[in-house]
Amino acid sequence: MNMYARLAGTGGYLPQKILTNHDLEKQLDTSDEWITTRTGIKQRHIISEDESIVSMAEIAAKEALKNAEVNAQDIGLIIVATCTPERAFPSSACLLQERLQIPACPAFDVMAACAGFSYALHIANQLIQAQQIRYALVIGSEAMSRLVDWQDRSTCILFGDGAGAVVLKADNTPGILASQISADGQYSKLLYTEKGNNQALYRGYIQMQGSEVFKIAVKTLSHLVEEALHLAGLRSDQLDWLVPHQANVRIIEATARHLKLSPEKIILTIAEHGNTSAASIPLALHQGICDKRIKPGQHLLLESFGAGFTWGSAVIRY
């Protein structure tokens, strides 16, 4: 009997502190109009000093477990997608496992930058299909504000912090219809971090060749979404929602045009959240479900592109 991974519940967390474009105007040579027209971002949430990606992940995970009506003790796999961990080891997933009092099971982190959640979801999907586990907790949690140079207007305007979580369950009814991940390291010098003055685990600030990243992202995502639909056996007109990584509204709109999707079929959170890296897709998914735009039986396309370059997608019947 075939086994499928189904989306059982979602959760999310955003730090209380909000940094608006108008706030950035006071410290940078920029403007709300300049940021908004180029990125679609109006504000972003910033993690406090007494918070961590694990504390954010814990709040998001507890909400996802509650919404899924699943006990933490039943979880058989924990994956945390992050590129901003507090520690090199133990993993954020193991620290979260302790907080949630989840019994012994596989727990590990995935680092694929903005495509991290797609990678984590793909791995969990494969293990559920192989009937190795029945319930998985998959989380994207990021503190990107700790990686940006707040004097560099080309990068600091883009990123925000937060966590999103999903609970997957094994089911006889198809849920995740297809998922895929890939990478090409030849582009590693276009988006990266390098050693700087920061003495913590974070080794320097984000460096980005914005125009080159934009062009490759649009081209890659156009092929990616076509492949995703082919693997799922769907046409673009059968899609109900595009739930993209929230990096840049122009990239998202280009992908939607390629799919011939109207703007009304896109779950957008970028204006309020900014780019929360691996947390952006689960946060957008959670918002779409909470406000009841996403309904049972609908088809969703999740896609992401990040440093590496890395990319991934999933087609889901909710």
Side-chain angles (χ1 to χ4, degrees):
M1 179 183 297
N2 291 334
M3 194 61 66
Y4 301 92
R6 287 190 63 82
L7 188 60
T10 62
Y13 174 76
L14 292 162
Q16 287 189 349
K17 180 181 177 180
I18 294 175
L19 185 69
T20 68
N21 291 348
H22 294 296
D23 294 328
L24 289 173
E25 287 177 342
K26 301 172 184 177
Q27 63 188 63
L28 294 169
D29 179 18
T30 191
S31 68
D32 173 63
E33 188 272 339
W34 191 90
I35 297 171
T36 303
T37 55
R38 286 162 176 78
T39 68
I41 299 168
K42 300 293 289 184
Q43 64 175 46
R44 67 286 294 149
H45 292 253
I46 305 298
I47 192 170
S48 66
E49 290 186 4
D50 59 352
E51 291 180 305
S52 69
I53 69 149
V54 177
S55 69
M56 294 193 299
E58 179 184 10
I59 296 170
K62 286 181 175 178
E63 184 177 16
L65 288 165
K66 179 181 178 181
N67 290 333
E69 298 181 346
V70 171
N71 293 321
Q73 290 71 28
D74 294 327
I75 294 296
L77 171 70
I78 308 164
I79 309 178
V80 173
T82 186
C83 57
T84 55
E86 275 77 26
R87 305 182 186 186
F89 57 84
S91 70
S92 302
C94 285
L95 298 175
L96 179 64
Q97 182 179 27
E98 178 187 24
R99 286 180 178 234
L100 297 177
Q101 299 182 348
I102 295 174
C105 71
F108 56 91
D109 292 356
V110 168
M111 205 292 280
C114 295
F117 181 78
S118 295
Y119 270 59
L121 193 72
H122 177 78
I123 295 167
N125 179 40
Q126 297 300 311
L127 287 171
I128 288 177
Q129 286 186 336
Q131 301 185 36
Q132 298 294 306
I133 56 170
R134 287 194 54 79
Y135 295 100
L137 180 58
V138 183
I139 299 167
S141 187
E142 299 280 23
M144 298 301 292
S145 65
R146 293 174 177 170
L147 275 181
V148 298
D149 177 356
W150 288 102
Q151 299 306 309
D152 179 7
R153 75 169 188 171
S154 67
T155 57
C156 74
I157 63 171
L158 302 174
F159 297 97
D161 307 326
V166 303
V167 173
L168 299 177
K169 68 176 181 180
D171 201 293
N172 297 328
T173 304
I176 297 180
L177 304 180
S179 65
Q180 58 177 331
I181 54 175
S182 192
D184 191 340
Q186 71 171 304
Y187 299 110
S188 62
K189 291 183 174 60
L190 297 181
L191 179 54
Y192 63 95
T193 61
E194 63 179 8
K195 283 191 175 183
N197 296 325
N198 197 334
Q199 298 301 311
L201 178 62
Y202 312 106
R203 302 297 183 184
Y205 300 125
I206 295 171
Q207 308 290 325
M208 181 174 68
Q209 303 296 320
S211 61
E212 291 301 312
V213 173
F214 180 90
K215 287 185 288 188
I216 298 171
V218 170
K219 182 179 179 181
T220 302
L221 290 172
S222 295
H223 294 302
L224 178 68
V225 294
E226 287 181 0
E227 293 172 5
L229 289 173
H230 176 72
L231 289 172
L234 294 178
R235 304 183 309 273
S236 60
D237 61 4
Q238 293 176 290
L239 277 180
D240 295 289
W241 295 103
L242 175 65
V243 188
H245 167 52
Q246 312 284 318
N248 183 301
V249 73
R250 294 184 297 162
I251 295 175
I252 296 170
E253 289 172 347
T255 304
R257 285 195 300 270
H258 187 81
L259 289 168
K260 296 182 174 58
L261 283 180
S262 66
E264 293 74 23
K265 288 191 172 185
I266 309 172
I267 302 294
L268 282 174
T269 59
I270 188 169
E272 297 81 22
H273 299 177
N275 181 351
T276 57
S277 189
S280 74
I281 288 180
L283 278 169
L285 184 63
H286 178 57
Q287 181 164 309
I289 290 172
C290 285
D291 62 25
K292 301 189 185 305
R293 280 179 290 171
I294 297 175
K295 298 177 174 59
Q298 291 186 328
H299 291 112
L300 324 174
L301 173 55
L302 285 53
E303 51 84 355
S304 59
F305 180 89
F309 285 142
T310 56
W311 56 89
S313 68
V315 179
I316 298 175
R317 181 179 297 147
Y318 178 54

